[in-house]
mmCIF file of all heavy atoms in Angstrom:
data_model
loop_
_atom_site.group_PDB
_atom_site.id
_atom_site.type_symbol
_atom_site.label_atom_id
_atom_site.label_comp_id
_atom_site.label_asym_id
_atom_site.label_seq_id
_atom_site.Cartn_x
_atom_site.Cartn_y
_atom_site.Cartn_z
ATOM 1 N N ARG A 331 -18.360 -17.847 -8.133
ATOM 2 C CA ARG A 331 -17.291 -17.171 -7.449
ATOM 3 C C ARG A 331 -16.296 -18.153 -6.860
ATOM 4 O O ARG A 331 -15.408 -17.755 -6.159
ATOM 5 C CB ARG A 331 -17.822 -16.305 -6.301
ATOM 6 C CG ARG A 331 -18.514 -15.035 -6.795
ATOM 7 C CD ARG A 331 -18.773 -14.143 -5.581
ATOM 8 N NE ARG A 331 -17.536 -13.718 -4.925
ATOM 9 C CZ ARG A 331 -17.516 -13.232 -3.744
ATOM 10 N NH1 ARG A 331 -18.595 -13.111 -3.054
ATOM 11 N NH2 ARG A 331 -16.348 -12.901 -3.231
ATOM 12 N N PHE A 332 -16.529 -19.447 -7.221
ATOM 13 C CA PHE A 332 -15.636 -20.441 -6.660
ATOM 14 C C PHE A 332 -14.416 -20.680 -7.614
ATOM 15 O O PHE A 332 -14.469 -20.294 -8.762
ATOM 16 C CB PHE A 332 -16.289 -21.804 -6.426
ATOM 17 C CG PHE A 332 -15.378 -22.852 -5.784
ATOM 18 C CD1 PHE A 332 -15.048 -22.715 -4.498
ATOM 19 C CD2 PHE A 332 -14.804 -23.764 -6.624
ATOM 20 C CE1 PHE A 332 -14.160 -23.634 -3.965
ATOM 21 C CE2 PHE A 332 -13.901 -24.701 -6.100
ATOM 22 C CZ PHE A 332 -13.598 -24.632 -4.776
ATOM 23 N N GLY A 333 -13.484 -21.223 -7.108
ATOM 24 C CA GLY A 333 -12.193 -21.468 -7.880
ATOM 25 C C GLY A 333 -11.086 -20.716 -7.211
ATOM 26 O O GLY A 333 -11.336 -19.590 -6.767
ATOM 27 N N HIS A 334 -9.912 -21.313 -7.157
ATOM 28 C CA HIS A 334 -8.873 -20.693 -6.308
ATOM 29 C C HIS A 334 -7.560 -20.789 -7.011
ATOM 30 O O HIS A 334 -7.133 -21.828 -7.403
ATOM 31 C CB HIS A 334 -8.790 -21.371 -4.962
ATOM 32 C CG HIS A 334 -7.768 -20.857 -4.095
ATOM 33 N ND1 HIS A 334 -7.207 -21.563 -3.011
ATOM 34 C CD2 HIS A 334 -7.122 -19.607 -4.074
ATOM 35 C CE1 HIS A 334 -6.319 -20.808 -2.430
ATOM 36 N NE2 HIS A 334 -6.244 -19.684 -3.081
ATOM 37 N N SER A 335 -6.905 -19.704 -7.132
ATOM 38 C CA SER A 335 -5.506 -19.697 -7.500
ATOM 39 C C SER A 335 -4.691 -19.249 -6.339
ATOM 40 O O SER A 335 -4.579 -18.099 -6.021
ATOM 41 C CB SER A 335 -5.237 -18.802 -8.701
ATOM 42 O OG SER A 335 -3.900 -18.701 -8.991
ATOM 43 N N ASN A 336 -4.242 -20.252 -5.505
ATOM 44 C CA ASN A 336 -3.621 -19.853 -4.249
ATOM 45 C C ASN A 336 -2.305 -19.159 -4.421
ATOM 46 O O ASN A 336 -1.797 -18.590 -3.548
ATOM 47 C CB ASN A 336 -3.409 -21.184 -3.423
ATOM 48 C CG ASN A 336 -3.059 -20.935 -1.927
ATOM 49 O OD1 ASN A 336 -3.602 -19.967 -1.431
ATOM 50 N ND2 ASN A 336 -2.144 -21.689 -1.392
ATOM 51 N N GLY A 337 -1.829 -19.196 -5.634
ATOM 52 C CA GLY A 337 -0.567 -18.490 -5.870
ATOM 53 C C GLY A 337 -0.782 -17.013 -6.202
ATOM 54 O O GLY A 337 -0.110 -16.527 -7.040
ATOM 55 N N GLN A 338 -1.739 -16.448 -5.643
ATOM 56 C CA GLN A 338 -1.890 -15.024 -5.864
ATOM 57 C C GLN A 338 -0.611 -14.385 -5.375
ATOM 58 O O GLN A 338 -0.203 -14.454 -4.252
ATOM 59 C CB GLN A 338 -3.046 -14.433 -5.032
ATOM 60 C CG GLN A 338 -4.372 -15.022 -5.515
ATOM 61 C CD GLN A 338 -5.489 -14.274 -4.836
ATOM 62 O OE1 GLN A 338 -5.428 -13.193 -4.295
ATOM 63 N NE2 GLN A 338 -6.649 -14.991 -4.748
ATOM 64 N N ASP A 339 0.053 -13.670 -6.365
ATOM 65 C CA ASP A 339 1.372 -13.190 -6.071
ATOM 66 C C ASP A 339 1.363 -12.250 -4.861
ATOM 67 O O ASP A 339 0.344 -11.648 -4.495
ATOM 68 C CB ASP A 339 1.909 -12.424 -7.323
ATOM 69 C CG ASP A 339 1.865 -13.341 -8.555
ATOM 70 O OD1 ASP A 339 1.932 -14.556 -8.369
ATOM 71 O OD2 ASP A 339 1.906 -12.833 -9.664
ATOM 72 N N SER A 340 2.513 -12.116 -4.246
ATOM 73 C CA SER A 340 2.690 -11.160 -3.162
ATOM 74 C C SER A 340 2.171 -9.797 -3.635
ATOM 75 O O SER A 340 2.478 -9.366 -4.728
ATOM 76 C CB SER A 340 4.142 -11.163 -2.757
ATOM 77 O OG SER A 340 4.486 -9.972 -2.033
ATOM 78 N N LEU A 341 1.456 -9.191 -2.721
ATOM 79 C CA LEU A 341 1.015 -7.810 -3.088
ATOM 80 C C LEU A 341 2.150 -6.848 -3.351
ATOM 81 O O LEU A 341 2.031 -5.955 -4.196
ATOM 82 C CB LEU A 341 0.143 -7.294 -1.914
ATOM 83 C CG LEU A 341 -1.276 -7.855 -1.786
ATOM 84 C CD1 LEU A 341 -1.954 -7.350 -0.562
ATOM 85 C CD2 LEU A 341 -2.116 -7.504 -3.041
ATOM 86 N N ALA A 342 3.297 -7.073 -2.662
ATOM 87 C CA ALA A 342 4.439 -6.198 -2.899
ATOM 88 C C ALA A 342 4.980 -6.421 -4.297
ATOM 89 O O ALA A 342 5.372 -5.527 -5.017
ATOM 90 C CB ALA A 342 5.537 -6.480 -1.859
ATOM 91 N N VAL A 343 5.001 -7.716 -4.744
ATOM 92 C CA VAL A 343 5.474 -8.007 -6.104
ATOM 93 C C VAL A 343 4.510 -7.447 -7.123
ATOM 94 O O VAL A 343 4.907 -6.908 -8.134
ATOM 95 C CB VAL A 343 5.655 -9.525 -6.305
ATOM 96 C CG1 VAL A 343 6.029 -9.888 -7.734
ATOM 97 C CG2 VAL A 343 6.768 -10.037 -5.374
ATOM 98 N N ARG A 344 3.228 -7.616 -6.906
ATOM 99 C CA ARG A 344 2.221 -7.090 -7.776
ATOM 100 C C ARG A 344 2.297 -5.595 -7.862
ATOM 101 O O ARG A 344 2.248 -5.037 -8.989
ATOM 102 C CB ARG A 344 0.775 -7.507 -7.247
ATOM 103 C CG ARG A 344 0.424 -8.955 -7.543
ATOM 104 C CD ARG A 344 -0.871 -9.279 -6.880
ATOM 105 N NE ARG A 344 -1.962 -8.424 -7.347
ATOM 106 C CZ ARG A 344 -3.134 -8.396 -6.707
ATOM 107 N NH1 ARG A 344 -3.394 -9.094 -5.700
ATOM 108 N NH2 ARG A 344 -4.103 -7.525 -7.181
ATOM 109 N N ALA A 345 2.448 -4.879 -6.772
ATOM 110 C CA ALA A 345 2.596 -3.486 -6.804
ATOM 111 C C ALA A 345 3.839 -3.026 -7.588
ATOM 112 O O ALA A 345 3.756 -2.083 -8.344
ATOM 113 C CB ALA A 345 2.615 -2.911 -5.336
ATOM 114 N N ALA A 346 4.932 -3.773 -7.374
ATOM 115 C CA ALA A 346 6.201 -3.403 -8.099
ATOM 116 C C ALA A 346 6.025 -3.671 -9.596
ATOM 117 O O ALA A 346 6.490 -2.867 -10.393
ATOM 118 C CB ALA A 346 7.331 -4.215 -7.497
ATOM 119 N N PHE A 347 5.307 -4.776 -9.938
ATOM 120 C CA PHE A 347 5.126 -5.074 -11.321
ATOM 121 C C PHE A 347 4.248 -4.060 -12.016
ATOM 122 O O PHE A 347 4.533 -3.620 -13.136
ATOM 123 C CB PHE A 347 4.432 -6.467 -11.476
ATOM 124 C CG PHE A 347 4.168 -6.878 -12.886
ATOM 125 C CD1 PHE A 347 5.199 -7.203 -13.724
ATOM 126 C CD2 PHE A 347 2.886 -6.878 -13.351
ATOM 127 C CE1 PHE A 347 4.956 -7.585 -15.041
ATOM 128 C CE2 PHE A 347 2.589 -7.255 -14.669
ATOM 129 C CZ PHE A 347 3.615 -7.609 -15.536
ATOM 130 N N VAL A 348 3.113 -3.675 -11.278
ATOM 131 C CA VAL A 348 2.249 -2.666 -11.863
ATOM 132 C C VAL A 348 2.953 -1.300 -11.984
ATOM 133 O O VAL A 348 2.821 -0.571 -12.986
ATOM 134 C CB VAL A 348 0.986 -2.511 -10.972
ATOM 135 C CG1 VAL A 348 0.177 -1.255 -11.354
ATOM 136 C CG2 VAL A 348 0.090 -3.697 -11.056
ATOM 137 N N HIS A 349 3.816 -1.031 -11.006
ATOM 138 C CA HIS A 349 4.656 0.168 -11.093
ATOM 139 C C HIS A 349 5.524 0.141 -12.302
ATOM 140 O O HIS A 349 5.602 1.172 -13.072
ATOM 141 C CB HIS A 349 5.424 0.314 -9.762
ATOM 142 C CG HIS A 349 6.115 1.622 -9.617
ATOM 143 N ND1 HIS A 349 6.608 2.038 -8.405
ATOM 144 C CD2 HIS A 349 6.327 2.656 -10.440
ATOM 145 C CE1 HIS A 349 7.141 3.314 -8.579
ATOM 146 N NE2 HIS A 349 6.964 3.640 -9.802
#
Side-chain angles (χ1 to χ4, degrees):
R331 284 191 63 196
F332 181 77
H334 177 202
S335 175
N336 193 36
Q338 294 187 24
D339 304 337
S340 161
L341 285 173
V343 174
R344 285 173 56 193
F347 178 73
V348 169
H349 192 164

